[in-house]
Amino acid sequence: MPEQSRIQLQLRTLRDTINQHNHRYYALDDPDIPDAAYDRLMRELQDLEQQYPQWISADSPTQRVGSAPLDGFSQVTHEVPMLSLDNAFSGQEMDDFDRRLRGRLDRDQPLHYACEPKLDGIAVSLLYRDGVLERGATRGDGAVGEDITSNVRTIPSIPLRLLGDGWPRVLEVRGEIYMPRAGFDAFNEKARQQSEKLFVNPRNAAAGSLRQLDSRVTAQRPLEMCCYGVGLVEAYALPGKHTEILTLLQGWGFRINSEMRVANGMKDCLAYYDYLLAKRASLAYDIDGIVFKVDDIALQQRLGFVSRAPRWAIAHKFPAEEEMTTLLGVDFQVGRTGAITPVARLEPVFVGGVTVSNATLHNSDEILRLGVKINDTVVVRRAGDVIPKVVRVVLDKRPANASKIVFPARCPICESVIERLEGEAVSRCTGGLLCAAQLKEGIKHFASRKAMDIDGLGDKLVEQLVDEGLITSVVDLFSLQVTALVGLERMAEKSAAKLIAALQASKATTLPKFIFALGIREVGEATAVSLAKHFTSLEKIQQASIETLLEVPDVGPIVAQHLHDFFAASHSQQLLAGLLSAGFYWPAIEASKVQPLMGKIYVVSGSLESMGRIEAKERLQQLGAKVAGSVSAKTFCLVAGPGAGSKLTKAQQLGVDVIDETQFLALLKQYE
Ligand code: IVH
């Protein structure tokens, strides 16, 4: 073979191999070679192209870095208009939609619907000629958009050349470009550190990134593209189902949504809506609803279009996660550890599926960062079950009577001085348990389900007991008499007797629960379990030095200091003595059962079905294991879920033990 053809073949083979790996990595989330091996292939291609620049092709995977800035975007006329979707806001509207369609089609049986998350990004059209990306365009007004070819070329999940063969001569693929949440957070964090302007949400970040005239800037942004349909297609007979078309596109190198399903009838559609709404907060990207499309293309064609939207599709919107409202005032709440949290009192607003009238403002730095004043119009966000928060101020709407928020110098409950230690964001009341607010919160925590789980001792009752002066510490709970309780709001003799029995019953507990219930700063359930397993007795924890505390798997210097301070304080000693003499007890922990994985190094990779990676890590740490981020010769075992990728390859190369999720769960169970 002549030298020239040999090099060209080598270039072609390298590009094909890299494109295949790109596809597995960016479109399928299923890489099959380690990152380092991929980097080597890229470098090999770059070297070769540097030697033979005359053969650099526009579709080479090296050509994604962006190019010199444009003067402006030129216009693109969409051969097939880019339509929008009708919206439905309730199950009722969805039923109406389905009934309408079946009426038009004169059909009794249920329709099959393709269900897809409605990604919250920017619609894009990608035109491929003979398998090569020729043009990328925004939707614009649906008829005319902007040419953003050099920007879309920098997005790794957009193939520059289609995979496989046998594609249509002309193929227009449509989909959404978006910024995954993790990329958005990282991008904003970097911008914050460099005092640059932040994006308000991932959608704006995606839009802003695509609007760059300099595609080298776009290339730095973590954008992804997911396709949901086709536009112009020439000289090709596409499959008869929408979902089959998308699967075909996937084979050609595009990312399609892994949550796509086919539902049989409206009942299935509504179940899918509930399923994804529950999953919304844990997805890697923002969605604002579900798109339902009649799956059968022949039926789509019979149904046709009304004005600018297809009859055969609808977007069932989720409740908005952000809404505007007015900040009426700010209350300062005192937490269990004295932390002062400014809480925004809001004009009630329906957001994230509930009516919200309070939202957190976190701390004084956050108030400064937001630049918020009382009477301002603010944007409130409530995503999933997360506590609602004020995310920004709408400065355009600032009224004349907007007034400054003054952070108090003294505790609003006990009037002790509020202090803010250097390096801490939180301001605290210095009143300790003399502060009624801290006392109440401490008792509520002690009685809560995950702590002593005292039935019938709810927040309201705790507040009454403290306000009436019936208790001044947790210990006092255990000498309460029926006669003292009767007479409190909603407290008759029977419920009083029940409460006393529940208090009595709570004394039989476990050491981890008891430690957790004490409410020591930064000591959550997992840390309490680790402490109990490591030390096996309360006395040993009480006597532990900072150094010995640091030997416990998830105890760092801050937690160790808090533990040490707590046990050294005389009021804590009184509290412990009081609780023990009230009769608290727990089964002894056998020394042999402690920390069976002590000294062993584990790595967790890929996704697990039964728990997140963080939980898997904590469970291993509780058994004494060290959990590392990468596989090395020192690794004892790799827990590998689907998508474990390069770590799995490495473990196999090094002969490290690999276990799957089932084996991992069996391991945990063995030591439960
Ligand atoms: S289909 C003819 N599918 O929603 C139907 N659109 O209001 C065209 N969108 O501008 C759209 N995810 O950018 C479709 N899975 C999905 C989508 C989706 C997000 C956006 C799209 C469009 C808007 C329609």
Side-chain angles (χ1 to χ4, degrees):
M1 196 190 289
E3 173 71 1
Q4 192 172 329
S5 337
R6 200 181 56 75
I7 307 280
Q8 279 180 322
L9 180 66
Q10 200 181 341
L11 281 166
R12 163 75 68 80
T13 316
L14 266 172
R15 286 173 190 154
D16 282 353
T17 316
I18 293 172
N19 282 337
Q20 292 284 354
H21 290 310
N22 272 347
H23 178 56
R24 291 196 67 114
Y25 190 93
Y26 291 108
L28 305 179
D29 282 333
D30 183 25
D32 57 352
I33 59 166
D35 292 357
Y38 175 87
D39 294 343
R40 277 194 295 275
L41 287 171
M42 257 322 237
R43 220 166 308 127
E44 203 182 321
L45 178 60
Q46 279 159 350
D47 288 348
L48 210 57
E49 287 183 345
Q50 209 165 23
Q51 283 179 55
Y52 301 97
Q54 68 273 32
W55 292 324
I56 298 181
S57 62
D59 65 348
S60 169
T62 58
Q63 302 302 298
R64 288 192 186 271
V65 285
S67 44
L70 306 171
D71 294 333
F73 296 115
S74 49
Q75 293 202 327
V76 167
T77 304
H78 299 295
E79 286 82 354
V80 180
M82 291 183 78
L83 303 170
S84 60
L85 291 169
D86 276 343
N87 292 323
F89 292 96
S90 66
Q92 181 59 51
E93 287 179 26
M94 287 299 293
D95 275 333
D96 295 346
F97 162 77
D98 179 57
R99 204 164 312 113
R100 228 168 25 238
L101 296 202
R102 284 189 295 125
R104 275 192 169 263
L105 296 169
D106 196 16
R107 185 182 160 109
D108 284 336
Q109 307 118 277
L111 283 165
H112 285 100
Y113 290 100
C115 320
E116 298 164 21
K118 186 168 187 298
L119 293 164
D120 205 2
I122 306 298
V124 68
S125 142
L126 303 171
L127 192 70
Y128 290 81
R129 194 176 300 276
D130 297 321
V132 177
L133 175 64
E134 183 176 273
R135 189 197 72 193
T138 60
R139 174 170 178 273
D141 63 4
V144 178
E146 283 180 327
D147 187 326
I148 51 164
T149 311
S150 36
N151 291 345
V152 300
R153 289 176 54 83
T154 67
I155 299 173
S157 44
I158 294 180
L160 298 178
R161 158 185 283 276
L162 301 181
L163 294 184
D165 46 29
W167 352 270
R169 207 169 56 75
V170 174
L171 171 69
E172 185 197 354
V173 175
R174 291 179 176 178
E176 199 85 349
I177 292 179
Y178 59 97
M179 193 179 280
R181 286 181 189 148
F184 168 76
D185 290 341
F187 180 77
N188 256 2
E189 184 50 41
K190 214 164 112 197
R192 193 195 312 272
Q193 281 167 14
Q194 297 173 350
S195 303
E196 285 167 7
K197 194 173 163 286
L198 305 189
F199 283 115
V200 295
N201 57 38
R203 191 192 126 84
N204 286 7
S209 302
L210 284 179
R211 227 178 283 119
Q212 296 293 328
L213 288 170
D214 186 343
S215 53
R216 289 168 299 195
V217 176
T218 313
Q220 303 303 314
R221 305 283 168 86
L223 297 174
E224 275 180 19
M225 138 98 181
C226 178
C227 65
Y228 52 64
V230 291
L232 185 68
V233 179
E234 274 179 25
Y236 197 91
L238 286 170
K241 299 266 160 45
H242 170 76
T243 42
E244 291 169 358
I245 296 176
L246 292 196
T247 309
L248 186 67
L249 293 179
Q250 185 180 39
W252 288 338
F254 295 93
R255 188 185 187 95
I256 61 174
N257 200 294
S258 58
E259 295 291 350
M260 181 174 79
R261 304 277 188 279
V262 179
N264 186 10
M266 204 26 66
K267 205 161 152 247
D268 266 12
C269 289
L270 295 175
Y272 178 85
Y273 175 91
D274 290 340
Y275 156 78
L276 217 63
L277 181 57
K279 210 171 164 181
R280 182 187 196 184
S282 65
L283 293 175
Y285 42 80
D286 278 2
I287 62 176
D288 57 356
I290 310 288
V291 184
F292 294 99
K293 303 171 182 170
V294 171
D295 198 27
D296 189 310
I297 304 288
L299 293 182
Q300 284 188 4
Q301 281 160 355
R302 275 177 59 194
L303 287 163
F305 303 87
V306 244
S307 65
R308 302 185 57 221
R311 273 206 194 85
W312 43 263
I314 196 155
H316 189 183
K317 298 295 280 279
F318 285 155
E321 288 181 326
E322 288 188 358
E323 283 295 354
M324 279 197 301
T325 186
T326 311
L327 176 64
L328 301 175
V330 177
D331 290 336
F332 293 87
Q333 280 182 358
V334 188
R336 173 162 57 83
T337 60
I340 308 284
T341 307
V343 177
R345 271 189 296 110
L346 305 166
E347 184 69 50
V349 62
F350 190 74
V351 56
V354 297
T355 301
V356 167
S357 40
N358 295 303
T360 181
L361 283 163
H362 298 294
N363 53 47
S364 50
D365 285 351
E366 179 74 355
I367 294 177
L368 280 179
R369 189 185 74 78
L370 291 166
V372 58
K373 294 187 169 186
I374 292 165
N375 295 325
D376 262 339
T377 297
V378 292
V379 176
V380 179
R381 179 174 178 82
R382 179 184 181 270
D385 289 334
V386 205
I387 301 170
K389 58 178 183 178
V390 172
V391 289
R392 58 185 176 275
V393 179
V394 187
L395 280 178
D396 293 355
K397 293 187 185 260
R398 174 161 285 171
N401 67 347
S403 64
K404 196 165 178 278
I405 299 167
V406 184
F407 210 92
R410 288 187 172 267
C411 174
I413 305 298
C414 72
E415 297 191 353
S416 300
V417 169
I418 289 178
E419 75 177 9
R420 178 174 168 183
L421 298 181
E422 207 167 302
E424 280 201 22
V426 179
S427 309
R428 285 176 206 279
C429 157
T430 51
L433 291 178
L434 295 176
C435 171
Q438 292 188 53
L439 176 64
K440 286 176 185 171
E441 295 309 310
I443 298 173
K444 288 177 197 170
H445 171 78
F446 185 86
S448 66
R449 204 173 46 77
K450 289 177 175 173
M452 293 299 104
D453 193 15
I454 304 170
D455 240 8
L457 187 55
D459 291 0
K460 285 262 145 44
L461 184 54
V462 171
E463 284 174 19
Q464 282 187 70
L465 290 170
V466 173
D467 290 343
E468 298 290 323
L470 291 174
I471 56 175
T472 57
S473 87
V474 166
V475 179
D476 292 347
L477 284 171
F478 300 92
S479 41
L480 281 173
Q481 303 287 329
V482 173
T483 43
L485 288 168
V486 174
L488 291 176
E489 247 175 72
R490 277 185 287 144
M491 186 63 78
E493 205 157 305
K494 205 163 157 198
S495 36
K498 244 173 130 176
L499 175 64
I500 286 172
L503 283 161
Q504 190 62 29
S506 74
K507 293 177 189 171
T509 184
T510 65
L511 180 54
K513 282 193 174 195
F514 185 77
I515 297 167
F516 173 64
L518 296 174
I520 305 164
R521 268 174 69 183
E522 310 276 341
V523 178
E525 277 174 290
T527 310
V529 170
S530 298
L531 286 164
K533 288 201 171 166
H534 189 90
F535 290 104
T536 72
S537 79
L538 181 63
E539 297 74 48
K540 286 189 191 147
I541 303 175
Q542 277 178 280
Q543 289 154 11
S545 64
I546 300 236
E547 291 72 37
T548 27
L549 286 166
L550 282 169
E551 285 167 16
V552 181
D554 53 353
V555 173
I558 295 176
V559 179
Q561 191 65 51
H562 287 323
L563 281 159
H564 194 260
D565 292 351
F566 177 86
F567 290 113
S570 63
H571 63 84
S572 313
Q573 287 162 7
Q574 276 171 25
L575 172 73
L576 288 171
L579 289 173
L580 294 178
S581 65
F584 273 85
Y585 67 98
W586 46 85
I589 298 175
E590 286 172 46
S592 65
K593 273 205 166 177
V594 175
Q595 309 258 293
L597 305 183
M598 189 64 141
K600 302 208 163 100
I601 301 178
Y602 276 72
V603 174
V604 184
S605 178
S607 54
L608 302 178
E609 264 180 22
S610 49
M611 66 185 85
R613 274 211 288 271
I614 296 179
E615 188 186 343
K617 186 173 156 183
E618 283 173 1
R619 302 278 296 267
L620 284 164
Q621 286 173 334
Q622 284 159 14
L623 296 174
K626 273 213 154 63
V627 182
S630 60
V631 175
S632 75
K634 287 197 203 137
T635 310
F636 174 75
C637 177
L638 170 73
V639 181
S646 61
K647 288 185 188 148
L648 179 56
T649 321
K650 183 96 181 263
Q652 286 162 342
Q653 282 164 357
L654 294 170
V656 167
D657 258 359
V658 178
I659 58 173
D660 64 12
E661 181 161 4
T662 317
Q663 292 164 307
F664 174 57
L665 292 176
L667 174 84
L668 296 180
K669 189 142 189 69
Q670 185 186 341
Y671 296 121
E672 236 168 32

